[in-house]
Amino acid sequence: MPPDETPEILLIRQTRPDVAERLSGRFRLHRMEEAPDREAFLDAVGPRIRALAVGAMCPIGAALFDLLPRLEIVASFGVGYDTIDVGEARRRGIVVTHTPDVLSDEVADLAVGLLLATLRRIPQADRYLRAGRWREGSFPLTTSLRERRVGILGLGRIGRAIAQRLEGFGVAIAYHGRTPQADVAYAYHDSLLGLARAVDVLVVAAPGGPGTNGIVDAAVLAALGREGIVVNIARGSVIDEAALVAALTAGTIHGAGLDVFANEPHVPQDLIDLDQTVLLPHVGSGSHYTRAAMARVLGDNLLSWFDGKGPVTPVPETPWSGR
């Protein structure tokens, strides 16, 4: 890079001012959301853009890459990156980074909280009290976490953190993933259907993308049984939402706690109308502490890249071995 050339970065759906504040001291920033005419904007600045800083769940692929011929790196704000075409990025020599580790504990905490809220109907009990119904009689008894068998779909960083927390509740834990992991004592099932048959709580912690799209289907839900509980803090696409609504409506399973949905922020009204669901607006990592840590990692990746040190947390599909 010539010493007088300031790298130019395109910000897409960035919601934290500290990201832009930190980067502005080193780079020239362009904000997609401020452009009244996106096509004209990209025609003007696209040939100069060398990096993207993108918010979570932003679709990034070949069409945008075509407009950014000098693009070197895509820094994503989040651990999941299924909306980024990493295969196309790899073919073009573009590195993709994400923000793993720093949000695992926060999301795992929420997963356990969502499980307890679903089992013990905590939001429903809160509404019962606020509506003045306690004076009419006690809130109905609920199901329990006692003697439950919990299955985790995806024993990655977040899945492991969830399992570690659940150990303290004395429940049996099993998991399904691409391969068994030698360093854990949890029971491994080589199929998702086999896991569902062995447990009555399914916690979804698997990444999104074509390989997991709709894999929690009607057969898996039926295998959980009438006392079954589904908790999803991963990606909404992993669950067949129509099958989930049908299973809840028919009593095939007992309840569901969901932080993610297939078409966010649009949540099926059928799920909203069901009383045995606890629904959250994708807040798994949504604390000031964790979002600030994620912002730091995103910035670290870009600063390290343009310092010639390579990315800090590249995704596995676009590894970097130096230049």
Side-chain angles (χ1 to χ4, degrees), residues 163-319:
Q164 289 163 2
R165 284 155 174 75
L166 289 173
E167 287 179 7
F169 290 89
V171 296
I173 299 171
Y175 71 101
H176 168 68
R178 286 189 294 266
T179 57
Q181 301 186 28
D183 60 340
V184 299
Y186 315 127
Y188 174 73
H189 293 266
D190 61 8
S191 74
L192 176 54
L193 190 59
L195 175 66
R197 288 171 176 154
V199 301
D200 47 31
V201 172
L202 180 65
V203 180
V204 180
T212 61
N213 189 46
I215 60 172
V216 180
D217 58 15
V220 170
L221 296 170
L224 284 174
R226 295 184 63 83
E227 293 301 312
I229 298 287
V230 175
V231 172
N232 190 3
I233 46 75
R235 284 287 188 262
S237 60
V238 179
I239 295 180
D240 180 337
E241 281 186 351
L244 178 61
V245 169
L248 288 165
T249 302
T252 304
I253 64 171
H254 183 78
L258 309 172
D259 184 44
V260 290
F261 304 89
N263 187 28
E264 298 175 4
H266 306 287
V267 179
Q269 189 62 42
D270 287 341
L271 281 175
I272 294 172
D273 291 342
L274 289 165
D275 187 53
Q276 65 269 47
T277 59
V278 178
L279 310 176
L280 304 179
H282 202 153
V283 294
S285 64
S287 72
H288 292 294
Y289 175 91
T290 294
R291 292 291 172 84
M294 292 165 64
R296 284 195 299 273
V297 174
L298 184 149
D300 288 347
N301 273 290
L302 292 171
L303 290 166
S304 179
W305 178 261
F306 286 102
D307 282 340
K309 301 175 183 176
V312 178
T313 54
V315 303
E317 293 87 348
T318 62

Side-chain angles (χ1 to χ4, degrees), residues 95-117:
V95 168
V96 177
T97 69
H98 61 155
T99 61
D101 298 321
V102 293
L103 52 71
S104 298
D105 286 334
E106 205 76 75
V107 176
D109 290 349
L110 187 105
V112 174
L114 188 52
L115 172 58
L116 292 173

Side-chain angles (χ1 to χ4, degrees), residues 73-76 81 84-86 89 94-98 313-315 318:
I73 183 170
V74 177
S76 179
Y81 51 91
I84 300 174
D85 189 340
V86 291
I94 299 168
V95 168
V96 177
T97 69
H98 61 155
T313 54
V315 303
T318 62

Side-chain angles (χ1 to χ4, degrees), residues 120-183:
R120 298 301 312 276
R121 295 171 55 82
I122 293 173
Q124 293 89 336
D126 175 85
R127 293 194 295 268
Y128 188 90
L129 180 149
R130 292 175 188 274
R133 298 182 62 190
W134 193 8
R135 293 188 294 270
E136 303 169 4
S138 299
F139 185 75
L141 299 181
T142 69
T143 189
S144 172
L145 186 58
R146 305 283 72 76
E147 299 183 1
R148 285 276 183 171
R149 300 159 298 159
V150 180
I152 299 176
L153 172 57
L155 202 68
R157 295 178 178 93
I158 294 173
R160 282 179 177 241
I162 294 168
Q164 289 163 2
R165 284 155 174 75
L166 289 173
E167 287 179 7
F169 290 89
V171 296
I173 299 171
Y175 71 101
H176 168 68
R178 286 189 294 266
T179 57
Q181 301 186 28
D183 60 340

